[in-house]
Amino acid sequence: AVTCLRLPTSEAGASPSPCTAVHWAPAMDRPVDLVAAAHGQQVAVWGLHGDTSRPDVELLATLPHPAPVHTLEFNMLGTCLAAGTHAN
């Protein structure tokens, strides 16, 4: 089963945007696993560490994007995150 982490919305009473893309960064012996999730025009980067059956989850960054994000991908080192849209 896949669980999509949702960001809180800034507008009172508005429902969160659906998750449109998720990408895990390559491990590269980091003490933390990095996961990026796109929600509309925002990308959240999460850090997961600890026991893999019940990891501790920390929101590391919320990144705004000028258009709705439909695809995400970290580079091979997990140091750069690309976000793609359907914009012309």
Side-chain angles (χ1 to χ4, degrees):
V2 174
T3 301
C4 185
L5 305 170
R6 294 185 182 261
L7 297 174
T9 58
S10 57
E11 299 175 30
S15 52
S17 301
C19 183
T20 54
V22 175
H23 197 265
W24 264 259
M28 304 299 293
D29 282 336
R30 253 191 301 276
V32 147
D33 285 323
L34 297 177
V35 181
H39 303 265
Q41 290 180 241
Q42 289 189 336
V43 175
V45 179
W46 301 87
L48 288 79
H49 49 88
D51 183 9
T52 56
S53 64
R54 284 187 74 120
D56 293 320
V57 180
E58 176 184 5
L59 179 61
L60 301 176
T62 303
L63 310 170
H65 198 278
V69 176
H70 293 279
T71 186
L72 294 169
E73 190 161 338
F74 282 98
N75 68 350
M76 293 297 289
L77 298 176
T79 57
C80 183
L81 176 66
T85 70
H86 287 298
N88 292 338

Coordinates of all heavy atoms in Angstrom, one line a residue:
A1 N 0.8 -1.2 0.0 CA 0.0 0.0 0.0 C 0.9 1.2 0.0 O 1.9 1.3 0.6 CB -0.9 0.0 1.2
V2 N 0.5 2.2 -0.7 CA 1.2 3.5 -0.8 C 0.4 4.6 0.0 O -0.8 4.7 -0.2 CB 1.4 3.9 -2.3 CG1 2.0 5.3 -2.3 CG2 2.2 2.9 -3.0
T3 N 1.0 5.3 0.8 CA 0.4 6.4 1.5 C 1.0 7.7 1.0 O 2.2 7.8 1.0 CB 0.7 6.2 3.1 OG1 0.2 5.0 3.5 CG2 0.0 7.4 3.8
C4 N 0.1 8.6 0.6 CA 0.6 9.9 0.2 C 0.5 10.9 1.3 O -0.6 11.0 1.9 CB -0.3 10.3 -1.0 SG 0.4 11.8 -1.7
L5 N 1.6 11.5 1.6 CA 1.6 12.5 2.7 C 1.0 13.8 2.1 O 1.4 14.2 1.0 CB 3.0 12.7 3.1 CG 3.8 11.5 3.6 CD1 5.2 11.8 3.8 CD2 3.1 10.9 4.9
R6 N 0.1 14.4 2.8 CA -0.6 15.6 2.3 C -0.1 16.9 3.1 O 0.1 16.8 4.3 CB -2.1 15.5 2.4 CG -2.6 14.4 1.5 CD -4.1 14.4 1.6 NE -4.6 13.4 0.7 CZ -5.1 13.6 -0.5 NH1 -5.1 14.7 -1.1 NH2 -5.5 12.5 -1.2
L7 N 0.0 17.9 2.3 CA 0.4 19.2 3.0 C -0.8 19.9 3.4 O -1.9 19.9 2.8 CB 1.1 20.1 1.9 CG 2.4 19.6 1.4 CD1 2.9 20.6 0.3 CD2 3.4 19.5 2.5
P8 N -0.7 20.6 4.6 CA -1.9 21.5 5.0 C -2.0 22.6 4.0 O -1.1 23.1 3.4 CB -1.4 22.0 6.4 CG 0.0 21.8 6.5 CD 0.4 20.7 5.5
T9 N -3.3 23.0 3.8 CA -3.5 24.2 2.9 C -3.5 25.5 3.7 O -3.7 25.5 4.9 CB -4.9 24.0 2.2 OG1 -5.9 23.9 3.2 CG2 -4.9 22.8 1.3
S10 N -3.2 26.5 3.0 CA -3.2 27.8 3.6 C -4.5 28.5 3.7 O -4.8 29.4 4.5 CB -2.2 28.8 2.9 OG -2.6 28.9 1.5
E11 N -5.5 28.0 2.9 CA -6.8 28.6 2.9 C -7.7 27.8 3.8 O -7.8 26.6 3.8 CB -7.4 28.5 1.5 CG -6.6 29.2 0.4 CD -7.2 29.0 -1.0 OE1 -8.4 28.8 -1.1 OE2 -6.4 29.1 -1.9
A12 N -8.4 28.6 4.7 CA -9.3 27.9 5.7 C -10.4 27.2 5.0 O -11.0 27.7 4.1 CB -9.9 29.0 6.6
G13 N -10.6 25.9 5.4 CA -11.7 25.1 4.8 C -11.4 24.5 3.5 O -12.1 23.6 3.0
A14 N -10.2 24.8 2.8 CA -9.9 24.2 1.5 C -9.4 22.8 1.8 O -8.7 22.5 2.7 CB -8.9 25.1 0.8
S15 N -9.7 21.9 0.9 CA -9.1 20.5 1.0 C -7.8 20.5 0.3 O -7.5 21.2 -0.6 CB -10.1 19.5 0.4 OG -10.4 19.9 -0.9
P16 N -6.9 19.6 0.8 CA -5.5 19.5 0.2 C -5.5 19.0 -1.2 O -6.4 18.3 -1.6 CB -4.8 18.5 1.1 CG -5.8 17.8 1.9 CD -7.1 18.7 1.9
S17 N -4.5 19.4 -2.0 CA -4.4 18.9 -3.4 C -4.0 17.4 -3.4 O -3.3 17.0 -2.5 CB -3.3 19.7 -4.1 OG -3.6 21.0 -4.1
P18 N -4.5 16.7 -4.4 CA -4.1 15.3 -4.4 C -2.6 15.2 -4.8 O -2.0 16.0 -5.4 CB -4.9 14.7 -5.5 CG -5.3 15.9 -6.4 CD -5.4 17.1 -5.4
C19 N -2.0 14.1 -4.3 CA -0.6 13.8 -4.6 C -0.5 13.4 -6.1 O -1.2 12.5 -6.5 CB -0.1 12.7 -3.7 SG 1.6 12.3 -3.9
T20 N 0.4 14.1 -6.9 CA 0.5 13.8 -8.3 C 1.8 13.1 -8.7 O 1.9 12.6 -9.8 CB 0.3 15.1 -9.1 OG1 1.3 16.1 -8.6 CG2 -1.1 15.7 -9.0
A21 N 2.8 13.2 -7.8 CA 4.1 12.5 -8.1 C 4.8 12.3 -6.8 O 4.7 13.1 -5.9 CB 4.9 13.4 -9.0
V22 N 5.6 11.2 -6.8 CA 6.4 10.8 -5.6 C 7.8 10.3 -6.2 O 7.8 9.5 -7.1 CB 5.8 9.8 -4.7 CG1 6.7 9.3 -3.6 CG2 4.5 10.3 -4.1
H23 N 8.9 10.7 -5.5 CA 10.2 10.1 -5.9 C 11.1 10.0 -4.7 O 11.2 10.9 -3.9 CB 10.8 11.0 -7.0 CG 11.9 10.2 -7.7 ND1 13.2 10.3 -7.4 CD2 11.9 9.4 -8.8 CE1 14.0 9.5 -8.2 NE2 13.1 9.0 -9.0
W24 N 11.7 8.8 -4.6 CA 12.7 8.6 -3.5 C 14.1 8.9 -4.1 O 14.4 8.4 -5.2 CB 12.6 7.1 -3.1 CG 11.8 6.8 -1.9 CD1 12.3 6.6 -0.6 CD2 10.4 6.6 -1.9 NE1 11.2 6.3 0.2 CE2 10.1 6.4 -0.5 CE3 9.4 6.7 -2.8 CZ2 8.8 6.2 -0.1 CZ3 8.1 6.5 -2.4 CH2 7.8 6.3 -1.1
A25 N 14.9 9.5 -3.3 CA 16.3 9.8 -3.7 C 17.1 8.5 -3.5 O 16.8 7.7 -2.6 CB 16.9 10.9 -2.8
P26 N 18.1 8.3 -4.3 CA 19.0 7.1 -4.1 C 19.6 7.2 -2.7 O 19.9 8.3 -2.2 CB 20.0 7.3 -5.2 CG 19.4 8.1 -6.2 CD 18.5 9.1 -5.5
A27 N 19.8 6.0 -2.1 CA 20.2 6.0 -0.7 C 21.6 6.6 -0.5 O 21.8 7.4 0.4 CB 20.2 4.5 -0.2
M28 N 22.6 6.2 -1.2 CA 24.0 6.8 -1.1 C 24.5 6.9 0.3 O 25.2 7.8 0.7 CB 24.0 8.2 -1.8 CG 23.5 8.2 -3.2 SD 24.5 7.2 -4.4 CE 26.1 8.1 -4.3
D29 N 24.2 5.9 1.2 CA 24.7 5.8 2.5 C 24.3 7.1 3.4 O 25.0 7.4 4.3 CB 26.2 5.6 2.6 CG 26.6 4.2 2.3 OD1 25.7 3.3 2.5 OD2 27.7 3.9 1.8
R30 N 23.3 7.8 3.0 CA 22.8 8.9 3.9 C 22.1 8.3 5.1 O 21.4 7.3 5.0 CB 21.8 9.7 3.1 CG 22.2 11.0 2.6 CD 21.1 11.8 2.1 NE 20.4 11.2 1.0 CZ 20.7 11.3 -0.3 NH1 21.8 11.9 -0.6 NH2 20.0 10.7 -1.2
P31 N 22.2 9.0 6.2 CA 21.5 8.5 7.4 C 19.9 8.7 7.3 O 19.2 8.2 8.1 CB 22.0 9.3 8.6 CG 22.6 10.6 7.9 CD 23.0 10.2 6.5
V32 N 19.5 9.5 6.3 CA 18.1 9.8 6.1 C 17.7 9.5 4.7 O 18.5 9.7 3.8 CB 17.9 11.3 6.4 CG1 16.9 11.9 5.6 CG2 17.6 11.6 7.9
D33 N 16.5 8.8 4.5 CA 16.0 8.7 3.2 C 15.2 9.9 2.8 O 14.5 10.5 3.6 CB 15.0 7.5 3.1 CG 15.7 6.1 3.2 OD1 16.8 6.0 2.6 OD2 15.2 5.2 3.8
L34 N 15.4 10.4 1.6 CA 14.7 11.6 1.1 C 13.6 11.2 0.2 O 13.8 10.4 -0.7 CB 15.7 12.5 0.4 CG 16.8 13.1 1.2 CD1 17.7 13.9 0.3 CD2 16.3 13.9 2.3
V35 N 12.4 11.7 0.4 CA 11.2 11.5 -0.4 C 10.6 12.8 -0.8 O 10.4 13.7 0.0 CB 10.2 10.6 0.3 CG1 9.0 10.3 -0.6 CG2 10.8 9.3 0.8
A36 N 10.4 13.0 -2.1 CA 9.7 14.2 -2.6 C 8.3 13.8 -3.0 O 8.1 12.8 -3.7 CB 10.5 14.8 -3.7
A37 N 7.3 14.7 -2.7 CA 5.9 14.5 -3.1 C 5.4 15.8 -3.7 O 5.5 16.8 -3.0 CB 5.1 14.0 -1.9
A38 N 4.7 15.7 -4.8 CA 4.1 16.9 -5.4 C 2.7 16.9 -5.1 O 2.0 15.9 -5.2 CB 4.3 16.9 -7.0
H39 N 2.2 18.1 -4.8 CA 0.8 18.4 -4.5 C 0.4 19.7 -5.2 O 0.7 20.8 -4.7 CB 0.6 18.6 -3.0 CG 1.0 17.4 -2.2 ND1 0.2 16.4 -1.8 CD2 2.2 17.1 -1.7 CE1 0.8 15.5 -1.1 NE2 2.1 15.9 -1.0
G40 N -0.1 19.6 -6.4 CA -0.5 20.9 -7.1 C 0.8 21.6 -7.4 O 1.7 21.1 -8.1
Q41 N 0.9 22.9 -6.9 CA 2.0 23.7 -7.2 C 3.0 23.7 -6.1 O 3.9 24.6 -6.0 CB 1.5 25.1 -7.5 CG 0.8 25.2 -8.8 CD 0.3 26.6 -9.2 OE1 -0.9 26.8 -9.3 NE2 1.2 27.5 -9.3
Q42 N 3.0 22.7 -5.2 CA 4.0 22.6 -4.2 C 4.6 21.2 -4.2 O 4.0 20.2 -4.6 CB 3.3 22.8 -2.8 CG 2.9 24.2 -2.5 CD 2.5 24.4 -1.1 OE1 2.1 23.4 -0.4 NE2 2.5 25.6 -0.6
V43 N 5.9 21.2 -3.8 CA 6.6 20.0 -3.7 C 7.1 19.9 -2.2 O 7.8 20.9 -1.7 CB 7.8 19.9 -4.7 CG1 8.7 18.7 -4.4 CG2 7.4 20.0 -6.1
A44 N 6.8 18.8 -1.6 CA 7.3 18.6 -0.2 C 8.5 17.6 -0.2 O 8.4 16.6 -0.9 CB 6.2 18.1 0.7
V45 N 9.5 17.9 0.5 CA 10.6 17.0 0.6 C 10.7 16.5 2.1 O 10.7 17.3 3.0 CB 12.0 17.7 0.3 CG1 13.1 16.7 0.4 CG2 11.9 18.2 -1.1
W46 N 10.5 15.2 2.2 CA 10.5 14.6 3.5 C 11.7 13.8 3.8 O 12.3 13.2 2.9 CB 9.3 13.6 3.6 CG 8.0 14.3 3.3 CD1 7.4 14.5 2.1 CD2 7.0 14.8 4.2 NE1 6.2 15.1 2.2 CE2 5.9 15.3 3.5 CE3 7.0 14.9 5.6 CZ2 4.9 15.9 4.2 CZ3 6.0 15.5 6.3 CH2 4.9 16.0 5.5
G47 N 12.1 13.7 5.1 CA 13.2 12.9 5.5 C 12.7 11.8 6.4 O 11.8 12.0 7.3
L48 N 13.0 10.5 6.1 CA 12.6 9.4 6.9 C 13.9 8.7 7.5 O 14.8 8.5 6.8 CB 11.9 8.3 5.9 CG 10.5 8.7 5.4 CD1 10.6 9.7 4.3 CD2 9.8 7.4 5.0
H49 N 13.8 8.5 8.8 CA 15.0 7.9 9.4 C 14.5 7.0 10.6 O 13.4 7.1 11.0 CB 16.0 9.0 9.9 CG 15.4 10.1 10.7 ND1 15.2 10.0 12.0 CD2 14.9 11.3 10.3 CE1 14.6 11.1 12.5 NE2 14.4 11.9 11.4
G50 N 15.4 6.2 11.0 CA 15.0 5.2 12.1 C 14.6 3.9 11.6 O 15.0 3.5 10.5
D51 N 13.9 3.2 12.4 CA 13.4 1.8 12.0 C 12.5 1.9 10.8 O 11.6 2.6 10.7 CB 12.6 1.3 13.2 CG 12.1 -0.1 13.0 OD1 12.6 -0.8 12.1 OD2 11.3 -0.6 13.9
T52 N 12.9 1.0 9.8 CA 12.1 1.0 8.5 C 10.7 0.5 8.7 O 9.8 0.9 7.9 CB 12.8 0.1 7.5 OG1 12.9 -1.2 8.0 CG2 14.2 0.6 7.1
S53 N 10.3 -0.2 9.8 CA 8.9 -0.6 10.0 C 8.1 0.6 10.5 O 6.9 0.6 10.3 CB 8.8 -1.8 10.9 OG 9.3 -1.5 12.2
R54 N 8.7 1.5 11.2 CA 8.0 2.7 11.8 C 9.0 3.9 11.7 O 9.5 4.3 12.8 CB 7.6 2.5 13.2 CG 6.4 1.6 13.3 CD 5.9 1.6 14.8 NE 5.3 2.9 15.1 CZ 4.1 3.0 15.5 NH1 3.3 1.9 15.6 NH2 3.6 4.2 15.8
P55 N 9.3 4.4 10.5 CA 10.3 5.5 10.5 C 9.8 6.8 11.1 O 8.6 7.1 11.1 CB 10.5 5.6 9.0 CG 9.2 5.2 8.3 CD 8.7 4.1 9.2
D56 N 10.7 7.6 11.5 CA 10.4 9.0 11.9 C 10.4 9.8 10.7 O 11.3 9.7 9.8 CB 11.5 9.5 12.9 CG 11.5 8.8 14.2 OD1 10.5 8.5 14.7 OD2 12.6 8.5 14.7
V57 N 9.3 10.6 10.5 CA 9.1 11.4 9.3 C 9.2 12.9 9.7 O 8.6 13.3 10.6 CB 7.8 11.1 8.7 CG1 7.6 11.9 7.4 CG2 7.6 9.6 8.4
E58 N 10.0 13.6 8.9 CA 10.2 15.0 9.1 C 10.1 15.8 7.8 O 10.7 15.4 6.8 CB 11.6 15.3 9.7 CG 12.0 16.7 9.9 CD 13.4 16.9 10.4 OE1 14.2 15.9 10.5 OE2 13.8 18.0 10.7
L59 N 9.3 16.8 7.8 CA 9.1 17.7 6.6 C 10.4 18.6 6.6 O 10.6 19.4 7.5 CB 7.9 18.5 6.7 CG 7.6 19.5 5.5 CD1 7.5 18.7 4.2 CD2 6.4 20.3 5.8
L60 N 11.2 18.4 5.5 CA 12.4 19.2 5.4 C 12.3 20.5 4.7 O 12.9 21.5 5.0 CB 13.5 18.3 4.7 CG 13.9 17.0 5.4 CD1 14.8 16.2 4.6 CD2 14.4 17.2 6.8
A61 N 11.4 20.5 3.7 CA 11.2 21.7 2.8 C 9.9 21.6 2.1 O 9.4 20.5 1.8 CB 12.3 21.8 1.8
T62 N 9.3 22.8 1.9 CA 8.1 22.9 1.0 C 8.5 23.9 0.0 O 8.8 25.0 0.2 CB 6.9 23.4 1.8 OG1 6.6 22.5 2.9 CG2 5.7 23.5 0.9
L63 N 8.5 23.4 -1.3 CA 9.0 24.2 -2.4 C 7.9 24.6 -3.3 O 7.2 23.8 -3.9 CB 10.1 23.4 -3.2 CG 11.2 22.8 -2.3 CD1 12.0 21.8 -3.2 CD2 12.0 23.8 -1.7
P64 N 7.7 25.9 -3.5 CA 6.6 26.4 -4.5 C 7.1 26.2 -5.9 O 8.3 26.2 -6.2 CB 6.5 27.9 -4.1 CG 7.8 28.3 -3.6 CD 8.4 27.1 -2.9
H65 N 6.1 26.0 -6.8 CA 6.4 25.8 -8.2 C 5.4 26.7 -9.0 O 4.2 26.8 -8.5 CB 6.3 24.4 -8.6 CG 7.0 24.1 -9.9 ND1 6.4 24.3 -11.1 CD2 8.2 23.6 -10.2 CE1 7.2 24.0 -12.1 NE2 8.3 23.5 -11.6
P66 N 5.7 27.3 -10.1 CA 4.8 28.2 -10.8 C 3.6 27.5 -11.5 O 2.7 28.1 -11.9 CB 5.7 28.9 -11.8 CG 6.9 28.1 -12.0 CD 7.1 27.4 -10.7
A67 N 3.7 26.2 -11.7 CA 2.7 25.4 -12.4 C 2.5 24.1 -11.6 O 3.4 23.6 -10.9 CB 3.1 25.2 -13.8
P68 N 1.3 23.4 -11.8 CA 1.1 22.1 -11.2 C 2.2 21.1 -11.6 O 2.5 21.0 -12.8 CB -0.3 21.7 -11.7 CG -1.0 23.0 -12.0 CD 0.1 23.9 -12.5
V69 N 2.8 20.4 -10.6 CA 3.8 19.5 -10.9 C 3.2 18.1 -11.1 O 2.4 17.6 -10.4 CB 4.8 19.4 -9.7 CG1 5.9 18.4 -9.9 CG2 5.4 20.8 -9.5
H70 N 3.7 17.4 -12.2 CA 3.2 16.1 -12.6 C 4.2 15.0 -12.5 O 3.9 13.8 -12.6 CB 2.5 16.1 -13.9 CG 1.3 17.0 -14.0 ND1 0.1 16.5 -13.6 CD2 1.1 18.2 -14.3 CE1 -0.8 17.4 -13.7 NE2 -0.2 18.5 -14.1
T71 N 5.5 15.4 -12.4 CA 6.6 14.4 -12.3 C 7.7 15.0 -11.5 O 8.0 16.2 -11.5 CB 7.0 13.9 -13.7 OG1 8.0 12.9 -13.5 CG2 7.7 15.0 -14.5
L72 N 8.4 14.1 -10.7 CA 9.6 14.5 -9.9 C 10.7 13.4 -10.1 O 10.4 12.3 -10.3 CB 9.2 14.5 -8.4 CG 8.2 15.5 -7.9 CD1 7.8 15.1 -6.5 CD2 8.8 16.9 -8.0
E73 N 11.9 13.9 -10.0 CA 13.0 12.9 -10.1 C 14.3 13.6 -9.5 O 14.7 14.7 -9.8 CB 13.3 12.5 -11.5 CG 14.3 11.3 -11.5 CD 14.3 10.6 -12.8 OE1 13.3 10.6 -13.5 OE2 15.3 9.9 -13.1
F74 N 14.9 12.8 -8.5 CA 16.2 13.2 -8.0 C 17.3 12.7 -8.9 O 17.1 11.8 -9.7 CB 16.4 12.5 -6.6 CG 15.7 13.1 -5.5 CD1 14.5 12.6 -5.0 CD2 16.2 14.2 -4.8 CE1 13.9 13.1 -3.9 CE2 15.6 14.7 -3.7 CZ 14.4 14.2 -3.3
N75 N 18.4 13.4 -8.9 CA 19.6 12.9 -9.7 C 20.2 11.7 -9.0 O 19.7 11.3 -7.9 CB 20.6 14.1 -9.9 CG 21.3 14.5 -8.6 OD1 20.9 14.1 -7.5 ND2 22.3 15.3 -8.7
M76 N 21.2 11.1 -9.6 CA 21.7 9.9 -9.1 C 22.4 10.0 -7.7 O 22.4 9.0 -7.0 CB 22.8 9.3 -10.1 CG 22.2 8.9 -11.4 SD 21.1 7.5 -11.3 CE 22.3 6.2 -10.9
L77 N 22.8 11.2 -7.3 CA 23.3 11.4 -6.0 C 22.3 11.8 -5.0 O 22.6 11.9 -3.8 CB 24.4 12.4 -6.1 CG 25.6 12.1 -6.9 CD1 26.6 13.3 -7.0 CD2 26.3 10.9 -6.4
G78 N 21.1 12.1 -5.4 CA 20.1 12.6 -4.5 C 20.3 14.0 -4.0 O 19.7 14.4 -3.0
T79 N 21.0 14.8 -4.8 CA 21.4 16.2 -4.4 C 20.6 17.2 -5.2 O 20.6 18.4 -4.9 CB 22.9 16.4 -4.6 OG1 23.2 16.2 -5.9 CG2 23.7 15.5 -3.6
C80 N 19.9 16.8 -6.2 CA 19.2 17.7 -7.1 C 17.8 17.1 -7.4 O 17.8 15.9 -7.8 CB 20.0 18.0 -8.4 SG 19.2 19.3 -9.4
L81 N 16.8 17.9 -7.3 CA 15.4 17.4 -7.6 C 14.8 18.2 -8.8 O 14.8 19.4 -8.8 CB 14.5 17.6 -6.4 CG 13.1 17.2 -6.5 CD1 12.9 15.7 -6.7 CD2 12.3 17.7 -5.3
A82 N 14.4 17.5 -9.8 CA 13.7 18.1 -11.0 C 12.2 17.9 -10.9 O 11.8 16.9 -10.4 CB 14.3 17.5 -12.3
A83 N 11.5 18.9 -11.3 CA 10.0 18.9 -11.2 C 9.5 19.2 -12.6 O 10.0 20.2 -13.2 CB 9.5 19.9 -10.2
G84 N 8.6 18.4 -13.2 CA 8.1 18.6 -14.5 C 6.6 18.9 -14.5 O 5.9 18.5 -13.6
T85 N 6.2 19.7 -15.5 CA 4.8 20.1 -15.6 C 4.3 19.7 -17.0 O 5.0 19.4 -17.9 CB 4.6 21.6 -15.3 OG1 5.1 22.3 -16.4 CG2 5.2 22.0 -14.0
H86 N 3.0 20.0 -17.2 CA 2.4 19.8 -18.5 C 2.2 21.1 -19.2 O 1.6 21.3 -20.2 CB 1.0 19.1 -18.4 CG 1.1 17.7 -18.1 ND1 1.7 16.8 -18.9 CD2 0.7 17.0 -17.0 CE1 1.6 15.6 -18.4 NE2 1.0 15.7 -17.2
A87 N 2.9 22.2 -18.7 CA 2.8 23.5 -19.2 C 3.5 23.6 -20.6 O 4.5 22.8 -20.8 CB 3.4 24.6 -18.3
N88 N 3.0 24.4 -21.5 CA 3.6 24.5 -22.8 C 4.9 25.2 -22.8 O 5.1 26.2 -22.3 CB 2.6 25.2 -23.8 CG 1.4 24.3 -24.1 OD1 1.5 23.1 -23.9 ND2 0.3 24.9 -24.5

